[in-house]
Amino acid sequence: MAEIKNVLVPDIGNFKDVSVIEVSVKAGDKVSAEQALISLETDKATIDVPAPFGGVVKDVKVKVGDKVSEGTLIVTIEASGEAAAQAVAPAAVAPAAAPAVPVVPATPSPAEPAAVAAAISAAPMATPASGSAHASPSIRRFARELGVNLTQVGGSGEKGRVTKDDVQNFVKKSLAQPAGGSGLQVPEMPAVDFAKYGAIETKPLSRIKKISGANLRRNWVTIPHVTQFEEADISEMEAFRKELGLEYAKESFKITPLAFMLKACAITLKHFPDFNASLDASGENLVLKKYIHIGVAVDTPDGLMVPVIRDVDQKGIVQLAKELGEVSAKAREKKITAADMQGGCFTISSLGGIGGTSFTPIINAPEVAILGVSRSSMKPVWKDGEFVPRLMLPLSLSYDHRVIDGAAGARFTTYLAHVLSDMRRLAL
Ligand code: CAO
């Protein structure tokens, strides 16, 4: 005969008074063994409590926001048939030892660059992949079953958590879009057996590359990019930089051209506020930012990271050079935190220390523009009836054409080149 059994919170380690963040069942629901009943969140992890056996839920004893500990009664289930016969003691708790329950880190640890995702973008540039979405294991499983990338789903739950409704609405919206409407419905890449043609070696992509790849792809496919090229005469700037370099030779940081670029971009962004902005979620409004935080793409052995330098407009060249040295060292030593990479308004991707004449950087959404900087070189420039040698810096500005018109793009780079070529403007 059917028997009503209690399901208690199992052994969840040393956690006590843990918040219920999701209740996945209601009275009358038929559940199978291992199906998630509720989700709990500690300050370190999100935990699903699964049904220890199948049956019909008779009563749910907890609600979202309740605090529970090991042994708290969460639901009663009418176990039937085989399940009833097999079910152990009424207090059918999970195994004594550590979790049969899946545990997922609630927030990535600073050393682990899951949230790095948020930053990795530049010119290759990007944002978060599934790993960094805030969702319980049951929702992750649900999203996986439907083939939904959780990072593309806006979370309406507490602290931006993605709920089951969010996933369902995302799927409904996607299905309602006309074929090709999002530009994302591209044919799958065919699998190729490369070994057929010669010797190969397979090397896994780094975690950062995997995370950034999804974002790069999204930004590249969904944002209409235009890249505007320009050259700035930095002869005077370079002479001044060298002078400063001698003055600060004993410091632990270098005064590189990038510090000047940061300052010049901040001045230019102030002059062209639409570049210091983001489209809101509806895509119908431009959010203008009153602060100027600029991300800098840093090349690390594991991939690209984009730490953000804050309030660039309020800092001097030396301070910016110092912070640049600090953040790039932090990124390369894998000490960068998610917070260090959030809140950027604009990004600079400088390949000038390496070489090249120009490139087309990918916008770091939700920003609307990114500046690529290539290597400066001496060029003959026609001036006052003769060719004179000048140090020219190539600039490549990619912008979101939904927000910025071609004329504005050209005005921005012209102004930026002007600021860089006239040192006095950096002081304004
Ligand atoms: N033209 C000519 N020389 C340049 C230059 C430029 N535009 N920019 C930098 N240099 C010089 C510097 O003056 C320095 O010269 P010295 O060694 O003689 O002093 C040298 O190149 C190396 O500079 P740096 O790379 O150490 O410093 P930086 O401030 O220019 O850059 C950082 C810092 C973190 C941006 C850089 O190290 C880096 O990681 N760059 C790669 C970013 C990247 O990968 N972007 C692409 C993203 S898309 O995939």
Side-chain angles (χ1 to χ4, degrees):
M1 203 195 78
E3 190 183 343
I4 295 179
K5 293 181 170 293
N6 291 337
V7 179
L8 313 183
V9 172
D11 177 1
I12 48 172
N14 291 328
F15 301 116
K16 287 206 168 53
D17 295 327
V18 177
S19 297
V20 176
I21 55 160
E22 198 174 308
V23 178
S24 314
V25 292
K26 56 184 185 321
D29 281 357
K30 209 166 163 210
V31 291
S32 44
E34 296 308 314
Q35 182 176 334
L37 299 172
I38 62 169
S39 301
L40 309 176
E41 184 179 70
T42 71
D43 54 349
K44 295 210 171 54
T46 304
I47 303 167
D48 265 1
V49 178
F53 44 79
V56 175
V57 176
K58 295 311 282 179
D59 203 0
V60 179
K61 303 286 189 187
V62 291
K63 57 183 183 322
V64 171
D66 282 358
K67 303 271 188 216
V68 298
S69 304
E70 179 181 347
T72 307
L73 175 60
I74 48 179
V75 296
T76 56
I77 294 181
E78 186 177 83
S80 55
E82 217 179 299
Q86 284 174 1
V88 259
V93 201
V101 273
V103 176
V104 167
T107 44
S109 77
E112 213 203 328
V116 160
I120 310 165
S121 272
M125 158 118 291
T127 0
S130 335
S132 58
H134 205 190
S136 68
S138 57
I139 296 301
R140 285 173 190 278
R141 206 161 33 243
F142 182 57
R144 249 195 327 272
E145 280 165 15
L146 296 175
V148 170
N149 178 349
L150 276 180
T151 58
Q152 297 176 358
V153 183
S156 65
E158 209 185 323
K159 296 186 205 154
R161 180 183 310 288
V162 178
T163 65
K164 194 171 180 184
D165 278 352
D166 293 331
V167 177
Q168 282 169 332
N169 288 337
F170 179 85
V171 172
K172 277 187 207 154
K173 238 167 130 183
S174 304
L175 290 175
Q177 272 176 5
S182 68
L184 288 169
Q185 287 161 348
V186 288
E188 284 294 310
M189 247 355 138
V192 178
D193 178 10
F194 300 103
K196 264 195 342 200
Y197 308 107
I200 58 163
E201 180 195 339
T202 304
K203 183 175 125 187
L205 286 181
S206 72
R207 179 172 164 70
I208 296 179
K209 278 200 175 137
K210 280 191 215 155
I211 295 170
S212 62
N215 300 305
L216 285 167
R217 178 173 183 265
R218 184 201 58 196
N219 296 351
W220 181 246
V221 171
T222 59
I223 301 174
H225 282 68
V226 176
T227 305
Q228 173 74 41
F229 302 102
E230 179 59 283
E231 274 187 326
D233 181 342
I234 56 162
S235 311
E236 264 99 56
M237 185 196 99
E238 192 56 10
F240 178 55
R241 186 183 75 84
K242 288 209 166 118
E243 253 177 56
L244 263 189
L246 291 175
E247 239 175 84
Y248 287 87
K250 292 212 173 89
E251 298 293 340
S252 55
F253 57 89
K254 278 195 301 189
I255 312 267
T256 65
L258 200 49
F260 288 82
M261 297 304 308
L262 277 164
K263 191 71 191 170
C265 283
I267 291 166
T268 311
L269 287 167
K270 262 203 168 154
H271 201 73
F272 295 91
D274 283 5
F275 287 74
N276 196 49
S278 290
L279 281 172
D280 71 3
S282 73
E284 291 181 4
N285 303 295
L286 195 58
V287 180
L288 300 163
K289 296 159 197 171
K290 305 293 179 192
Y291 49 86
I292 299 186
H293 302 338
I294 299 182
V296 176
V298 177
D299 180 33
T300 79
D302 291 327
L304 195 63
M305 300 182 92
V306 188
V308 173
I309 301 195
R310 319 238 156 220
D311 300 312
V312 176
D313 54 323
Q314 293 166 36
K315 293 175 181 164
I317 302 287
V318 175
Q319 171 70 17
L320 291 171
K322 185 165 180 279
E323 285 190 31
L324 203 51
E326 286 165 0
V327 292
S328 38
K330 231 170 142 185
R332 287 182 179 131
E333 288 159 16
K334 298 189 187 175
K335 290 189 182 146
I336 209 94
T337 65
D340 290 332
M341 293 185 286
Q342 287 163 357
C345 311
F346 181 83
T347 298
I348 302 180
S349 175
S350 173
L351 294 174
I354 303 168
T357 53
S358 56
F359 63 106
T360 54
I362 298 178
I363 295 164
N364 188 11
E367 296 165 17
V368 295
I370 175 169
L371 182 74
V373 182
S374 298
R375 193 163 186 78
S376 59
S377 60
M378 274 295 180
K379 287 193 173 175
V381 174
W382 188 254
K383 215 173 175 188
D384 303 328
E386 57 173 346
F387 279 111
V388 286
R390 305 295 293 174
L391 187 64
M392 304 303 288
L393 179 72
L395 306 171
S396 313
L397 177 86
S398 292
Y399 57 85
D400 183 339
H401 208 350
R402 293 171 301 177
V403 176
I404 292 156
D405 293 334
R411 282 190 194 107
F412 185 96
T413 50
T414 306
Y415 190 90
L416 177 62
H418 188 52
V419 173
L420 285 166
S421 61
D422 183 355
M423 286 294 305
R424 293 167 308 175
R425 298 197 172 266
L426 288 182
L428 294 179

